[in-house]
Amino acid sequence: MGAPLWIIHLPTTLTSLEEATDLAVALRDSLGHVTVIDFGETTLSEEDKQFLRTRVWCDARGDGPDRCRRRDQHDGPCAQ
């Protein structure tokens, strides 16, 4: 077994799922070039319900290391 991977929990002052999703999209768009961040695994949760997570993006992997860039539970085929 390899070294453990680490998760960064980044609390916000946002008060809606839509706002939190918009921030996740903005972070992916601005930091997508940072190869140590796996944005495909991004989930959101309420502060006091962190065990209930909402997936942001489809987690399907493409031919290479990239994942689908569409929202979770999207219609139609995946997009790389």
Side-chain angles (χ1 to χ4, degrees):
M1 180 184 249
L5 301 178
W6 290 88
I7 306 295
I8 298 172
H9 301 276
L10 183 65
T12 71
T13 58
L14 302 171
T15 58
S16 76
L17 179 59
E18 183 177 349
E19 291 175 320
T21 300
D22 289 347
L23 177 58
V25 170
L27 289 171
R28 182 186 70 179
D29 289 349
S30 65
L31 296 174
H33 65 282
V34 181
T35 58
V36 297
I37 301 173
D38 185 359
F39 284 102
E41 289 291 329
T42 301
T43 57
L44 304 172
S45 65
E46 291 182 37
E47 180 179 27
D48 294 331
K49 297 179 184 174
Q50 294 184 33
F51 55 91
L52 296 174
R53 296 181 181 224
T54 300
R55 180 175 290 284
V56 177
W57 292 289
C58 172
D59 65 347
R61 291 199 181 271
D63 294 333
D66 295 330
R67 294 178 185 266
C68 175
R69 293 187 56 86
R70 297 184 71 189
R71 293 291 308 273
D72 188 44
Q73 300 180 359
H74 62 83
D75 291 329
C78 290
Q80 297 297 312

